[in-house]
Amino acid sequence: MESIKVEPGKTRVGWIGTGVMGAAMCGHIMDAGFSMTVYNRTISKADGLKARGAVVAESPKQVGEQSDVVFSIVGFPADVRQVILGESGVLAGLKPGGVIVDMTTSEPSLSREIFEAAQAKGCNAVDAPVSGGDKGAKAAKLAIMAGGREETVAALAPLLNAMGNTTYMGPAGNGQHCKMANQITIASTMVGMVEGMLYAHKAGLDVPTYLRAISSGAAASKSLELYSQRILQRDFDPGFFVAHFVKDLGIALNECQRMGLSLPGLALAQSLYVSLKAHEESNLGTQALVLALERLNNTKLPTIS
Amino acid sequence: MESIKVEPGKTRVGWIGTGVMGAAMCGHIMDAGFSMTVYNRTISKADGLKARGAVVAESPKQVGEQSDVVFSIVGFPADVRQVILGESGVLAGLKPGGVIVDMTTSEPSLSREIFEAAQAKGCNAVDAPVSGGDKGAKAAKLAIMAGGREETVAALAPLLNAMGNTTYMGPAGNGQHCKMANQITIASTMVGMVEGMLYAHKAGLDVPTYLRAISSGAAASKSLELYSQRILQRDFDPGFFVAHFVKDLGIALNECQRMGLSLPGLALAQSLYVSLKAHEESNLGTQALVLALERLNNTKLPTIS
């Protein structure tokens, strides 16, 4: 099977899922000179891209019919299954030689299933979840973790490079596995950050001074940099939704069970995040983890404006 | 009580504990122009400082007699108690107006006890544990977390500045509390790092490629920067001893119990580190945490040279 040749002005690109992340990423590809057909369940969320010249399709299938390469970034694995493999999904419309690139953080097994289904139709598929959040998406500085055929990933470079830096991780599903390991690392780092802050507060330290004292030392992390000040300000607006992190950690735990891998830190972090869901805090950002530890301890960090 | 005036060439400085960290820190103070009297249990470890002009004393008490400010950095709280409060300890020799600065990571309650004992003798005491390891000590870039009287800490600036950056945390014991919160943060960050690496390996990813993919993203941390490559190389040489980290996390857990604070991530990390002790791995560096997770899972990361 020949790899696709991707050229601005020639290759027709499709995009499914124009939320905060997707809209920014799609915009970068349009800026790189590619024509674009988009679809979103809530159609109004594609208005900005339409105003910039994107064609709005009525179904993922229609996007597939009008595109050579179709990207998707949606919420949950069930959404991925529907927009790619469903009756009105991308694959029902895509012509042989076309490529599907799913950037949703989703199940490695689903990525392999999509890859097989695409191959059976003479198409290709890549799983390419990202790390870096809305800020990374807007700045085109996402870390993209790609699984699939290496030559397909290489051929997509003009498109992927418009969104960030890509690392090829191996066969279909390995992009997802890389993202899972990434989330596992972040999960316990978040636990360490909020536990340190609660200890400092309970021990009578001034928490901002504590954070200043440790932030350039061995306890430093991207989580501390991104979230510790927001926590002090009680700013729980989502950079990354609790609901999505709970999904990611749940997939990771399922994969661990399948592989016979015991990761107690992951299990602990997941159970704490699930408790946020129980308190209807799924739509907050992941820094809301502090709320779970505050409830556990019947205490509350001071609010610093 | 007047604060001491610290001046190079005039203020006589003492140092107890000339291990890897202590010797480097003591050397910086000598470089800043202060005369120095040192004591170490294993006397040969003071040879380098002696060759540079330090006087070697026969007991901590003798160091106290010959110094205006005495620093200590030893192993465990019992050692701190002995060298400061013991019969031949610093406080038995120190004259009124003198200052004891304990830089060992130790119990907040012991720091308060030392402070009270010093005050009763007309002396002062500061707890000033550090973060930054042997590298930070050598580069004079330690994060120093100081508890005690604010004017005492301020007066010590010419000495403390020679070793790193100092943050004043409040009354006696608060330097130790700050260090505890710092260690709590690091503990779960380490768990997240090694669990992510084990997941990546078990899922069939190339672990160095995985680390490259995530190291500039949201999973980045000082722990990842310091330890992930050493783990891949199976380099378990101590930058920071497991034995000392087990001590620190044990103190932190005791303090949590005293304060009625439940920190499940700390409890988990501590139990994993204690398991290293059970395998006689106390003299390895903290990156040896991976060994506990490898045993749990009957797996082993590949060795990368």
Side-chain angles (χ1 to χ4, degrees):
Chain A
M1 199 180 308
E2 282 241 342
S3 272
I4 193 168
K5 271 186 194 131
V6 172
E7 289 176 59
K10 215 167 153 187
T11 305
R12 301 167 307 156
V13 180
W15 197 282
I16 318 274
T18 54
V20 178
M21 300 275 297
M25 295 156 78
C26 179
H28 291 313
I29 289 180
M30 292 176 71
D31 290 342
F34 292 90
S35 67
M36 182 66 74
T37 305
V38 303
Y39 171 82
N40 197 67
R41 196 164 46 188
T42 309
I43 204 126
S44 62
K45 284 192 185 166
D47 284 352
L49 293 163
K50 188 179 177 185
R52 291 172 61 184
V55 174
V56 177
E58 287 177 3
S59 69
K61 181 181 175 185
Q62 204 177 66
V63 175
E65 286 164 353
Q66 294 168 18
S67 308
D68 304 304
V69 179
V70 179
F71 291 86
S72 56
I73 182 159
V74 293
F76 293 84
D79 304 315
V80 173
R81 180 175 291 281
Q82 192 186 358
V83 301
I84 296 178
L85 300 175
E87 236 176 87
S88 307
V90 176
L91 204 53
L94 201 65
K95 285 169 200 70
V99 182
I100 295 169
V101 186
D102 182 34
M103 306 187 89
T104 318
T105 298
S106 170
E107 295 158 354
S109 59
L110 178 55
S111 295
R112 286 190 296 270
E113 186 182 340
I114 291 169
F115 180 83
E116 295 301 336
Q119 294 273 302
K121 272 207 64 172
C123 298
N124 258 302
V126 167
D127 50 303
V130 300
S131 179
D134 52 336
K135 283 186 189 176
K138 278 169 193 157
K141 285 190 174 168
L142 292 168
I144 304 170
M145 310 161 196
R149 290 173 66 223
E150 190 162 13
E151 51 271 44
T152 311
V153 174
L156 294 170
L159 296 165
L160 297 176
N161 290 348
M163 298 182 278
N165 294 311
T166 305
T167 308
Y168 177 69
M169 298 307 304
N174 276 19
Q176 297 297 351
H177 275 312
C178 186
K179 181 69 188 283
M180 288 300 128
N182 182 76
Q183 302 302 70
I184 289 167
T185 305
I186 292 172
S188 284
T189 304
M190 293 291 288
V191 170
M193 173 180 68
V194 301
E195 287 194 356
M197 290 175 75
L198 277 176
Y199 179 98
H201 169 58
K202 194 87 176 179
L205 303 185
D206 179 63
V207 184
T209 305
Y210 154 71
L211 289 170
R212 204 163 58 242
I214 71 155
S215 62
S216 61
S221 68
K222 196 76 183 173
S223 293
L224 203 74
E225 187 189 320
L226 287 173
Y227 297 122
S228 59
Q229 294 307 317
R230 293 195 214 179
I231 289 172
L232 282 181
Q233 293 158 9
R234 310 301 286 183
D235 169 6
F236 297 125
D237 284 354
F240 186 60
F241 285 112
V242 166
H244 289 159
F245 204 43
V246 167
K247 168 204 54 160
D248 296 357
L249 299 182
I251 294 172
L253 271 180
N254 285 343
E255 290 296 317
C256 284
Q257 192 158 337
R258 188 185 59 74
M259 298 189 290
L261 186 65
S262 165
L263 298 184
L266 165 62
L268 170 61
Q270 195 258 2
S271 73
L272 290 170
Y273 271 104
V274 167
S275 83
L276 297 182
K277 213 171 155 180
H279 286 266
E280 301 184 351
E281 291 157 348
S282 297
N283 288 324
L284 301 183
T286 51
Q287 69 273 29
L289 177 62
V290 72
L291 299 174
L293 272 299
E294 285 182 342
R295 274 190 293 264
L296 181 64
N297 286 291
N298 192 25
T299 192
K300 196 181 163 197
L301 290 178
T303 305
I304 313 292
S305 60
Chain B
M1 200 181 307
E2 282 241 340
S3 272
I4 193 169
K5 271 187 193 129
V6 173
E7 289 177 59
K10 216 166 155 187
T11 305
R12 301 167 306 154
V13 180
W15 197 280
I16 318 275
T18 55
V20 178
M21 300 275 297
M25 295 155 77
C26 179
H28 291 313
I29 290 179
M30 293 176 72
D31 290 343
F34 292 89
S35 68
M36 182 66 74
T37 304
V38 304
Y39 172 81
N40 198 67
R41 197 164 46 189
T42 309
I43 204 128
S44 62
K45 285 192 185 166
D47 283 353
L49 293 162
K50 188 179 176 185
R52 291 171 60 183
V55 173
V56 178
E58 286 177 2
S59 69
K61 181 181 175 184
Q62 205 178 66
V63 174
E65 286 165 353
Q66 294 169 19
S67 307
D68 304 304
V69 179
V70 179
F71 291 88
S72 56
I73 182 161
V74 294
F76 294 83
D79 304 316
V80 173
R81 181 175 291 280
Q82 193 186 358
V83 301
I84 295 179
L85 300 175
E87 237 176 86
S88 307
V90 175
L91 204 53
L94 201 64
K95 285 169 201 67
V99 182
I100 295 169
V101 186
D102 183 33
M103 306 188 87
T104 317
T105 299
S106 170
E107 295 159 355
S109 60
L110 179 55
S111 294
R112 286 191 295 271
E113 186 182 339
I114 291 168
F115 179 83
E116 296 300 336
Q119 293 274 304
K121 272 206 63 172
C123 297
N124 259 301
V126 167
D127 51 302
V130 299
S131 179
D134 53 336
K135 283 186 188 173
K138 279 170 192 155
K141 286 191 174 168
L142 292 168
I144 304 170
M145 310 161 196
R149 289 174 65 223
E150 189 162 14
E151 51 271 45
T152 311
V153 174
L156 294 170
L159 296 164
L160 297 175
N161 291 347
M163 299 183 278
N165 294 312
T166 305
T167 308
Y168 176 69
M169 299 308 304
N174 276 19
Q176 297 297 351
H177 275 311
C178 186
K179 181 68 188 284
M180 289 300 128
N182 182 75
Q183 301 302 70
I184 289 166
T185 306
I186 292 172
S188 285
T189 305
M190 293 292 288
V191 171
M193 173 180 67
V194 301
E195 287 194 356
M197 290 175 76
L198 277 175
Y199 179 98
H201 169 58
K202 196 86 176 180
L205 304 184
D206 179 64
V207 184
T209 305
Y210 155 70
L211 289 170
R212 205 163 57 243
I214 71 154
S215 61
S216 61
S221 68
K222 196 75 183 173
S223 293
L224 203 74
E225 186 188 321
L226 288 172
Y227 297 123
S228 59
Q229 294 306 316
R230 294 195 214 179
I231 289 172
L232 283 180
Q233 293 158 9
R234 311 300 286 183
D235 169 7
F236 297 125
D237 284 354
F240 187 59
F241 285 113
V242 165
H244 289 159
F245 204 43
V246 167
K247 168 204 54 160
D248 295 357
L249 299 182
I251 294 170
L253 271 180
N254 284 344
E255 290 296 318
C256 284
Q257 192 159 336
R258 188 185 59 75
M259 299 189 290
L261 185 65
S262 166
L263 298 183
L266 166 62
L268 170 62
Q270 195 258 2
S271 72
L272 290 169
Y273 271 104
V274 167
S275 83
L276 297 181
K277 212 170 156 181
H279 287 266
E280 300 183 351
E281 291 157 348
S282 297
N283 288 324
L284 302 183
T286 50
Q287 68 273 30
L289 177 63
V290 72
L291 299 174
L293 272 299
E294 285 183 343
R295 275 191 292 263
L296 181 65
N297 286 292
N298 191 25
T299 190
K300 197 181 163 197
L301 291 178
T303 305
I304 312 293
S305 58

